Short mmCIF file of all heavy atoms in Angstrom, two decimals:
data_model
loop_
_atom_site.label_atom_id
_atom_site.label_comp_id
_atom_site.label_asym_id
_atom_site.label_seq_id
_atom_site.Cartn_x
_atom_site.Cartn_y
_atom_site.Cartn_z
N HIS A 169 62.23 -33.75 -11.87
CA HIS A 169 62.10 -32.36 -12.34
C HIS A 169 61.26 -32.42 -13.61
O HIS A 169 61.77 -32.42 -14.73
CB HIS A 169 63.48 -31.78 -12.61
CG HIS A 169 63.50 -30.28 -12.70
ND1 HIS A 169 62.38 -29.52 -12.99
CD2 HIS A 169 64.52 -29.38 -12.55
CE1 HIS A 169 62.70 -28.24 -13.02
NE2 HIS A 169 63.99 -28.13 -12.75
N ARG A 170 59.94 -32.48 -13.43
CA ARG A 170 59.03 -32.82 -14.51
C ARG A 170 59.11 -31.87 -15.71
O ARG A 170 58.93 -32.29 -16.84
CB ARG A 170 57.59 -32.87 -13.98
CG ARG A 170 57.35 -34.01 -13.01
CD ARG A 170 57.35 -35.36 -13.71
NE ARG A 170 57.67 -36.45 -12.81
CZ ARG A 170 56.81 -37.02 -11.97
NH1 ARG A 170 55.55 -36.60 -11.90
NH2 ARG A 170 57.21 -38.01 -11.19
N GLN A 171 59.37 -30.61 -15.46
CA GLN A 171 59.42 -29.67 -16.56
C GLN A 171 60.83 -29.49 -17.14
O GLN A 171 61.08 -28.58 -17.94
CB GLN A 171 58.83 -28.32 -16.15
CG GLN A 171 57.30 -28.25 -16.31
CD GLN A 171 56.53 -28.98 -15.20
OE1 GLN A 171 56.60 -28.63 -14.04
NE2 GLN A 171 55.77 -30.00 -15.57
N ALA A 172 61.74 -30.39 -16.74
CA ALA A 172 63.11 -30.32 -17.27
C ALA A 172 63.68 -31.72 -17.47
O ALA A 172 64.85 -31.97 -17.21
CB ALA A 172 64.00 -29.52 -16.33
N SER A 173 62.82 -32.65 -17.93
CA SER A 173 63.26 -34.03 -18.08
C SER A 173 62.81 -34.59 -19.42
O SER A 173 61.61 -34.68 -19.70
CB SER A 173 62.69 -34.90 -16.95
OG SER A 173 63.05 -36.26 -17.12
N GLY A 174 63.77 -35.01 -20.24
CA GLY A 174 63.45 -35.64 -21.52
C GLY A 174 63.26 -37.13 -21.33
O GLY A 174 64.10 -37.93 -21.75
N ASP A 175 62.17 -37.51 -20.68
CA ASP A 175 61.96 -38.91 -20.29
C ASP A 175 61.02 -39.63 -21.25
O ASP A 175 60.87 -39.24 -22.41
CB ASP A 175 61.47 -38.97 -18.84
CG ASP A 175 60.33 -37.99 -18.58
OD1 ASP A 175 59.43 -37.88 -19.42
OD2 ASP A 175 60.34 -37.33 -17.51
N SER A 176 60.37 -40.69 -20.76
CA SER A 176 59.52 -41.52 -21.62
C SER A 176 58.47 -40.70 -22.37
O SER A 176 58.13 -41.00 -23.52
CB SER A 176 58.81 -42.58 -20.78
OG SER A 176 59.70 -43.58 -20.34
N ARG A 177 57.97 -39.64 -21.74
CA ARG A 177 56.91 -38.83 -22.35
C ARG A 177 57.29 -38.29 -23.70
O ARG A 177 56.47 -38.20 -24.61
CB ARG A 177 56.56 -37.66 -21.42
CG ARG A 177 56.03 -38.05 -20.07
CD ARG A 177 55.97 -36.84 -19.14
NE ARG A 177 57.32 -36.38 -18.80
CZ ARG A 177 57.57 -35.26 -18.12
NH1 ARG A 177 56.56 -34.47 -17.75
NH2 ARG A 177 58.79 -34.91 -17.82
N TYR A 178 58.56 -37.91 -23.83
CA TYR A 178 58.98 -37.18 -25.03
C TYR A 178 59.65 -38.07 -26.08
O TYR A 178 60.31 -37.56 -26.99
CB TYR A 178 59.89 -36.02 -24.61
CG TYR A 178 59.14 -35.07 -23.70
CD1 TYR A 178 59.35 -35.06 -22.33
CD2 TYR A 178 58.13 -34.24 -24.21
CE1 TYR A 178 58.62 -34.22 -21.50
CE2 TYR A 178 57.40 -33.40 -23.39
CZ TYR A 178 57.65 -33.39 -22.03
OH TYR A 178 56.93 -32.57 -21.21
N HIS A 179 59.44 -39.37 -25.95
CA HIS A 179 59.96 -40.31 -26.94
C HIS A 179 58.88 -41.27 -27.41
O HIS A 179 59.18 -42.34 -27.94
CB HIS A 179 61.14 -41.08 -26.34
CG HIS A 179 62.29 -40.20 -25.96
ND1 HIS A 179 63.23 -39.75 -26.86
CD2 HIS A 179 62.62 -39.63 -24.76
CE1 HIS A 179 64.10 -38.96 -26.25
NE2 HIS A 179 63.76 -38.87 -24.97
N GLN A 180 57.63 -40.87 -27.23
CA GLN A 180 56.52 -41.74 -27.60
C GLN A 180 56.39 -41.97 -29.10
O GLN A 180 55.83 -42.98 -29.53
CB GLN A 180 55.20 -41.16 -27.07
CG GLN A 180 55.12 -41.10 -25.55
CD GLN A 180 53.79 -40.56 -25.08
OE1 GLN A 180 52.76 -41.22 -25.19
NE2 GLN A 180 53.80 -39.35 -24.53
N HIS A 181 56.91 -41.05 -29.90
CA HIS A 181 56.78 -41.16 -31.35
C HIS A 181 58.05 -41.71 -32.00
O HIS A 181 58.19 -41.67 -33.22
CB HIS A 181 56.42 -39.80 -31.95
CG HIS A 181 55.16 -39.22 -31.37
ND1 HIS A 181 53.93 -39.80 -31.54
CD2 HIS A 181 54.95 -38.12 -30.59
CE1 HIS A 181 53.00 -39.08 -30.92
NE2 HIS A 181 53.59 -38.07 -30.33
N GLU A 182 58.93 -42.26 -31.16
CA GLU A 182 60.16 -42.87 -31.66
C GLU A 182 60.06 -44.38 -31.51
O GLU A 182 59.15 -44.88 -30.85
CB GLU A 182 61.36 -42.33 -30.87
CG GLU A 182 61.52 -40.82 -30.96
CD GLU A 182 62.61 -40.30 -30.05
OE1 GLU A 182 63.31 -41.13 -29.42
OE2 GLU A 182 62.75 -39.07 -29.94
N PRO A 183 60.97 -45.13 -32.13
CA PRO A 183 60.97 -46.58 -31.93
C PRO A 183 61.04 -46.92 -30.44
O PRO A 183 61.85 -46.36 -29.71
CB PRO A 183 62.25 -47.03 -32.65
CG PRO A 183 62.45 -46.00 -33.71
CD PRO A 183 61.99 -44.70 -33.11
N GLY A 184 60.14 -47.80 -30.00
CA GLY A 184 60.08 -48.13 -28.58
C GLY A 184 59.00 -47.37 -27.85
O GLY A 184 58.67 -47.70 -26.71
N ALA A 185 58.48 -46.31 -28.47
CA ALA A 185 57.36 -45.53 -27.92
C ALA A 185 57.61 -45.02 -26.50
O ALA A 185 56.70 -44.88 -25.70
CB ALA A 185 56.07 -46.37 -27.94
N GLY A 186 58.87 -44.74 -26.20
CA GLY A 186 59.19 -44.19 -24.89
C GLY A 186 59.39 -45.23 -23.80
O GLY A 186 59.71 -44.87 -22.66
N MET A 187 59.20 -46.49 -24.14
CA MET A 187 59.35 -47.55 -23.14
C MET A 187 60.82 -47.95 -23.02
O MET A 187 61.57 -47.96 -24.00
CB MET A 187 58.53 -48.78 -23.54
CG MET A 187 57.06 -48.48 -23.79
SD MET A 187 56.19 -47.96 -22.28
CE MET A 187 54.58 -47.50 -22.98
N VAL A 188 61.23 -48.30 -21.80
CA VAL A 188 62.60 -48.73 -21.54
C VAL A 188 62.60 -50.24 -21.29
O VAL A 188 61.96 -50.71 -20.35
CB VAL A 188 63.19 -48.02 -20.32
CG1 VAL A 188 64.59 -48.54 -20.01
CG2 VAL A 188 63.22 -46.51 -20.53
N PRO A 189 63.28 -51.03 -22.13
CA PRO A 189 63.36 -52.47 -21.88
C PRO A 189 64.05 -52.76 -20.54
O PRO A 189 65.06 -52.14 -20.22
CB PRO A 189 64.21 -52.99 -23.05
CG PRO A 189 64.07 -51.95 -24.11
CD PRO A 189 63.97 -50.64 -23.38
N VAL A 190 63.48 -53.68 -19.79
CA VAL A 190 64.08 -54.06 -18.51
C VAL A 190 65.52 -54.52 -18.71
O VAL A 190 66.39 -54.29 -17.86
CB VAL A 190 63.24 -55.16 -17.83
CG1 VAL A 190 63.98 -55.76 -16.64
CG2 VAL A 190 61.89 -54.60 -17.39
N ASP A 191 65.80 -55.16 -19.85
CA ASP A 191 67.15 -55.65 -20.12
C ASP A 191 68.17 -54.52 -20.26
O ASP A 191 69.38 -54.78 -20.19
CB ASP A 191 67.16 -56.50 -21.40
CG ASP A 191 66.45 -57.83 -21.22
OD1 ASP A 191 66.23 -58.24 -20.07
OD2 ASP A 191 66.10 -58.46 -22.25
N ASP A 192 67.70 -53.29 -20.48
CA ASP A 192 68.62 -52.15 -20.60
C ASP A 192 68.98 -51.53 -19.25
O ASP A 192 69.80 -50.61 -19.19
CB ASP A 192 68.01 -51.06 -21.50
CG ASP A 192 68.07 -51.42 -22.97
OD1 ASP A 192 68.78 -52.38 -23.32
OD2 ASP A 192 67.40 -50.74 -23.78
#
Side-chain angles (χ1 to χ4, degrees):
H169 197 338
R170 293 289 157 80
Q171 274 77 63
S173 177
D175 48 43
S176 289
R177 298 169 292 173
Y178 299 104
H179 298 278
Q180 295 182 71
H181 303 295
E182 301 173 6
M187 306 294 173
V188 176
V190 169
D191 290 343
D192 284 348

